[in-house]
Amino acid sequence: MRRFDDSSFGHGWFQAAYSEDLRKGEVQPLTAMGREFVLRRDMQGQAHAMDAHCPHLGTHLGHGGRVCGTSLRCPFHGWQFAGDGACTDIPYSPNPRLEMRHLKSWPLVERNGLVMVWWHPRGIAPSFEVPAMPEHGDAQWSRYRRQRWEVATIWQEVQENIVDTTHFHHLHGVATLARLDRFEPAGPALHVNILHDFNTPRGRLPGFLQTSLYGPYFATVRFRIADLAEILFVDSVVPIEAGRVAVSFSLMARLQGIASPDMSLALIDEAIHQVSQDVPIWEHKMRWKRPSLAEGDGPIMRFRHWAEQFETEDEVPAPAPLRRIEIAAHA
Ligand code: FES
Ligand SMILES: [Fe+2]
């Protein structure tokens, strides 16, 4: 059964790796957006993302490709590619015509300890930036705790959760119904603030969930309860293929400047627990085009309207195969 109408891969920055996992000289395969990429960090420390398959005979460079200085060398016949995808060497050819060979490279930035790659179905250059979180690397905050799920759904369903104010109480058991304090689209960004009360060992206390989305695949979420506890995490959603996404959380707990660092750490467990409650819903739900919403629901349709800006482009079709020209035999 088809559960969603649109499983296209809208444009945006997506998390391709953790910076610390891609060491100098390392090459990694990556599947995202229904296609194959190769990631590498060259010997000068610069990370690069390119289409995976060698233009020569199609070898996947993420499997056996080697970093040579700033280039990537194909294991099959030794062709080399620079960071911008230009072919720099065909070691055996007396007439390599390098300018004719090219591998598509993708814009890449490293921010917040993450390798972020820009995806656009038509290959258009980045139209917004990945913000830096000053808390990352700050001694007041813990290092990232990582959690990853693979879910049979689309990115819209996962991110829509942010504005679904009523599910926090009913699915996740938050003490009171959430109140929407802010819903502010700003071009490719969307800022949402939700207030609710939590039952804590010190009684019922007010808290908030402050989310900023930057494109479809990257959000920062700040979750705080009074002056007791606070966490901040990256919510990353990466489509792997149509109808399947990887959801990765990179969570930091505030350990200083807060009354209960232990409770900050417990909030990390709580955030992870909440997603594990969302996953079976996402895995099986229908995405109604016109859901039967009730007064009191969160701004679901306003969220969808914001999300549509990323959904409209179709991928440029692959070039048509050359037509065979039939040569009529002379009688
Ligand atoms: S397939 Fe890559 S060099 Fe031949
Ligand atoms: Fe949820």
Side-chain angles (χ1 to χ4, degrees), residues 54 56-59 61 74 76-79:
C54 182
H56 183 214
L57 286 173
T59 294
L61 295 167
C74 179
F76 208 6
H77 312 93
W79 291 26

